[in-house]
Amino acid sequence: MQMTHEVFNQPTPLVDYNLFDTNQGLLDALKFNAPSLATAELSALGERLGSADMQTHARLANTHTPQLHSHDRFGRRVDQVEFHPSYHALMSLATSAGLHGTPWGSPHPSPLPGGEGITPSALLPLRRREGITPSALLPLPLGEGRGEGSPRLFPSSPHLLRAAGFMLFTELEPSTLCPISMTYAVTPALRSNAAIHADWAPKLTSRAYDPALKLFSEKTGVTMGMGMTEKQGGSDVRANTTQATADGSDAWGQRFRLTGHKWFFSAPMCDAFLVLAQAPTGLSCFFLPRVLPDGTLNAIRIQRLKDKLGNKANASSEVEFEGTTAWLVGEEGRGVPQILEMGTMTRLDCALGTSGLMRQALSIALNHCAQRQAFGKALIEQPLMRNVLADLALESEAATALSMRLARAFDNSTDAHEQAMARLLTPVAKFWICKRGSHFAQEAMECLGGNGYVEEGGEGIMARIYREMPLNSIWEGAGNIMALDLLRALCKADAAAALSLELAPAKGAHPELDRLAAALPTRVEEMATEIEARRLAQDVALAVQAALLYQSAPTAVFSAFCDSRLVGNWGQAFGTLGAGTDFDALIARAMPH
Ligand SMILES: Cc1cc2nc3c(=O)[nH]c(=O)nc-3n(C[C@H](O)[C@H](O)[C@H](O)COP(=O)(O)OP(=O)(O)OC[C@H]3O[C@@H](n4cnc5c(N)ncnc54)[C@H](O)[C@@H]3O)c2cc1C
């Protein structure tokens, strides 16, 4: 065969590296938030997540998207979603690493049962076709059969530890984390029905992944989702029309029958959901299992799956309820605050997820630019590219710092200041980090030139990141809703004082941060109208990020962040840092290897 040309100056992909050990910003954020945190399990998880096997699973799960089977071939309704085995491998990894309900469980991780439903023999044809190594297809508990430490996370600061793991996992594959996040988030809300919580909690916190459709008591582990959004309103859920009529009571409390629909209903193969519906005294929160206690299927009709821009491996559906059985959770008529206890935790995950995607995009960009030559030297040596990469590195590190700080607040929920920070920083982090995500992804993609824009059968990870980015900003409360939620949080009497306390350690570190920190409490107290809510959310985010970087990052990072984001020595695009920036320090710190 005649060769027309030699392929050269094309980088080797970023693979088989440790996502945790090479993420200095994350390492420093963890050291700051929990100095004695044992991170060996995160390191083992980081190794596994960066492996070629897992990257192949991520590609396949996004290429072979979920398929809905509404009926069987005899016309009976089945309402099943079928997933590629790689999706199950990813889910198995996430649950065995404890990224779902584990932080709410016992302090000692349970043994790791194998993931039912994904037997290696069932995968043999696929294995040959796709060229995955057999070990990659085995149900994961990780570390087993690999002779290395398993990435099981031990909960000394359970929420922070889990948050770091969740962020790392996002770098591998974000869409499978949708049911993982909802399963994590459900516990605070579900506790309001003590009987259901007592029955389900052990399965929610189990590290087993069990995708079989059967009664919860027969399963080794369960997942949960949530249904709020209807056609006529998602942000304004008070517009929900789904009706709940009383149907007696039993061991799980007051039982209802639901009739209506949900317009967005992600991960419909979850074992149960919290949903909103109109009860006689108003909008209420209900627990809705897919399989009823008598073993029969509940009436959850999956109408179709959404054809989404990204988030391809995750199924998001439209469903109808037809006399569907559900149990009341919390007080009747108090459904919105009840389900928002779940929403708060998923909002944390949106910030974590976007921080993970930013780090992944940055790592790929750095890896590419270190190898690709243009105009006589590596791109990473070209001064203007150094500005772009350093600016992205700053943004990524600031996002990581804020996300980890927020996660820490959930580990200390009895402390008044941490409570205030959880309330204040949840909408701030969700708003600001997720808003920055799409812009960030576009710029990181551009570092790869044309290759960045190409899908190439799922190999184009930048395209996948770019398609995923807007989602965290939209779901679980879109940008405006987050900014408005900040206003509600600020109505609390002690909000301004709590913010001042949070910023106090950085007092005197930078004149512009001092100026902003001095002005914010007044702005917080005077904030009366909605029109400036986004601006306030942005400024609170920047001030807190700067204060965190002062405490956890080198001076070069802190100074560059303040000079660009606070002083205004910065343009409208990435790559506009001032000439005096310590580019060498910022880039060296961010390198993924
Ligand atoms: C892939 C995907 C999966 C999803 N999965 C689920 C799920 O599992 N369960 C679920 O319940 N939902 C789910 N959602 C729905 C999602 O949470 C909603 O789309 C979101 O909350 C916005 O609601 P909406 O689409 O009705 O838009 P709207 O509520 O109509 O909002 C449209 C725009 O108006 C803005 N807006 C609304 N009110 C105001 C106001 N007062 N002032 C200023 N601006 C305002 C919003 O910020 C938004 O930008 C999913 C969405 C997506 C895209």
Side-chain angles (χ1 to χ4, degrees):
M1 192 172 74
Q2 206 175 359
M3 300 282 281
T4 59
H5 64 285
E6 181 194 351
V7 178
F8 69 100
N9 197 24
Q10 286 284 2
T12 55
L14 184 58
V15 69
D16 284 331
Y17 72 112
N18 189 314
L19 300 186
F20 179 69
D21 292 355
T22 56
N23 188 340
Q24 197 57 49
L26 177 60
L27 291 170
D28 287 347
L30 289 178
K31 208 176 294 170
F32 167 66
N33 286 293
S36 58
L37 190 72
T39 56
E41 292 80 16
L42 284 173
S43 179
L45 179 62
E47 185 74 31
R48 187 81 178 98
L49 294 172
S51 69
D53 282 355
M54 291 316 300
Q55 285 193 9
T56 303
H57 280 313
R59 176 175 65 79
L60 293 175
N62 279 278
T63 309
H64 306 282
T65 53
Q67 303 293 315
L68 171 63
H69 301 288
S70 59
H71 297 78
D72 68 12
R73 65 197 167 98
F74 305 105
R76 287 183 286 258
R77 275 210 87 110
V78 288
D79 297 295
Q80 294 262 25
V81 180
E82 186 178 45
F83 292 87
H84 189 269
S86 284
Y87 172 88
H88 294 298
L90 291 163
M91 286 292 289
S92 189
L93 173 55
T95 46
S96 67
L99 304 184
H100 58 308
T102 312
W104 309 108
S106 75
H108 303 293
S110 55
L112 297 170
E116 263 179 50
I118 32 173
T119 58
S121 61
L123 302 176
L124 279 173
L126 174 100
R127 193 184 300 164
R128 278 195 289 274
R129 203 171 63 239
E130 305 287 2
I132 313 175
T133 59
S135 62
L137 287 172
L138 287 169
L140 304 164
L142 301 174
E144 283 191 5
R146 287 174 191 279
E148 290 176 8
S150 151
R152 292 160 59 187
L153 310 180
F154 291 83
S156 54
S157 289
H159 292 282
L160 183 66
L161 199 56
R162 178 263 173 200
F166 187 91
M167 189 184 138
L168 291 172
F169 199 105
T170 314
E171 292 191 51
L172 172 68
E173 210 295 301
S175 44
T176 38
L177 289 178
C178 172
I180 295 292
S181 172
M182 292 192 289
T183 304
Y184 167 63
V186 78
T187 291
L190 193 60
R191 280 178 178 152
S192 294
N193 184 318
I196 296 176
H197 181 254
D199 281 352
W200 281 67
K203 309 287 169 143
L204 285 166
T205 55
S206 152
R207 287 171 187 249
Y209 173 57
D210 184 347
L213 178 61
K214 55 186 181 190
L215 191 57
F216 80 96
S217 54
E218 294 167 9
K219 297 191 61 155
T220 52
V222 296
T223 53
M224 281 192 67
M226 70 201 299
M228 295 183 283
T229 310
E230 296 186 3
K231 294 186 177 104
Q232 67 281 358
S235 308
D236 188 2
V237 290
R238 293 168 307 177
N240 274 192
T241 59
T242 297
Q243 293 297 312
T245 49
D247 183 38
S249 65
D250 56 29
W252 282 353
Q254 286 176 262
R255 209 177 46 239
F256 286 74
R257 296 274 183 171
L258 307 193
T259 303
H261 80 285
K262 293 294 162 188
W263 181 229
F264 281 93
F265 198 73
S266 283
M269 68 295 158
C270 283
D271 296 285
F273 307 84
L274 288 190
V275 299
L276 289 179
Q278 301 285 358
T281 60
L283 199 58
S284 307
C285 178
F286 295 94
F287 173 83
L288 189 154
R290 247 188 346 139
V291 179
L292 293 167
D294 66 2
T296 58
L297 274 188
N298 207 354
I300 304 171
R301 313 281 185 231
I302 305 177
Q303 301 301 104
R304 56 179 176 169
L305 298 187
K306 299 284 192 190
D307 182 8
K308 298 175 287 185
L309 171 66
N311 195 252
K312 296 284 187 185
N314 179 37
S316 298
S317 68
E318 299 162 15
V319 292
E320 290 188 3
F321 305 138
E322 201 180 337
T324 308
T325 304
W327 285 261
L328 185 66
V329 176
E331 214 180 306
E332 193 179 316
R334 301 270 308 151
V336 177
Q338 185 64 43
I339 210 163
L340 277 183
E341 290 195 41
M342 182 176 186
T344 298
M345 307 308 295
T346 54
R347 286 169 184 175
L348 163 67
D349 282 358
C350 289
L352 291 167
T354 301
S355 302
L357 290 174
M358 281 184 181
R359 173 64 196 169
Q360 181 191 20
L362 173 67
S363 298
I364 294 170
L366 287 165
N367 177 67
H368 181 95
C369 291
Q371 298 179 63
R372 176 82 166 177
Q373 305 269 325
F375 301 98
K377 47 185 169 187
L379 284 174
I380 203 167
E381 290 166 13
Q382 297 287 3
L384 192 49
M385 184 57 95
R386 292 180 78 67
N387 199 326
V388 172
L389 293 170
D391 211 353
L392 290 174
L394 268 186
E395 194 70 30
S396 169
E397 180 151 358
T400 299
L402 180 54
S403 299
M404 289 300 132
R405 168 64 188 97
L406 176 57
R408 184 183 99 202
F410 291 98
D411 273 322
N412 301 286
S413 54
T414 52
D415 178 282
H417 179 67
E418 295 302 301
Q419 265 178 19
M421 283 303 109
R423 179 66 190 94
L424 205 65
L425 295 185
T426 299
V428 166
K430 160 83 162 82
F431 170 75
W432 184 242
I433 295 172
C434 299
K435 267 290 152 249
R436 302 291 291 151
S438 292
H439 187 184
F440 189 105
Q442 186 281 325
E443 201 64 64
M445 175 188 276
E446 196 165 316
C447 293
L448 274 63
N451 285 355
Y453 194 67
V454 171
E455 296 269 8
E456 199 59 45
E459 298 281 3
I461 300 175
M462 276 297 195
R464 205 161 78 208
I465 296 170
Y466 184 72
R467 286 188 273 99
E468 185 75 16
M469 274 297 196
L471 183 53
N472 277 335
S473 192
I474 293 173
W475 65 8
E476 305 302 339
N480 286 353
I481 299 304
M482 288 302 94
L484 295 174
D485 189 51
L486 173 63
L487 294 192
R488 271 190 296 279
L490 292 174
C491 289
K492 288 197 147 208
D494 56 352
L499 185 57
S500 294
L501 190 63
E502 182 70 13
L503 300 176
K507 197 162 188 238
H510 195 286
E512 202 55 29
L513 178 56
D514 282 349
R515 196 197 55 73
L516 184 58
L520 276 176
T522 319
R523 284 175 61 191
V524 162
E525 271 161 9
E526 289 176 354
M527 177 60 64
T529 63
E530 295 180 1
I531 204 87
E532 289 179 296
R534 273 187 181 227
R535 187 59 194 250
L536 184 66
Q538 169 188 308
D539 290 350
V540 172
L542 291 175
V544 175
Q545 285 181 324
L548 289 170
L549 292 177
Y550 173 68
Q551 296 168 87
S552 68
T555 308
V557 174
F558 170 68
S559 304
F561 186 86
C562 292
D563 289 346
S564 55
R565 274 69 170 168
L566 303 188
V567 176
N569 183 18
W570 193 38
Q572 301 293 320
F574 282 111
T576 52
L577 297 173
T581 303
D582 189 347
F583 296 104
D584 291 350
L586 297 186
I587 292 173
R589 179 173 170 79
M591 286 306 289
H593 42 58

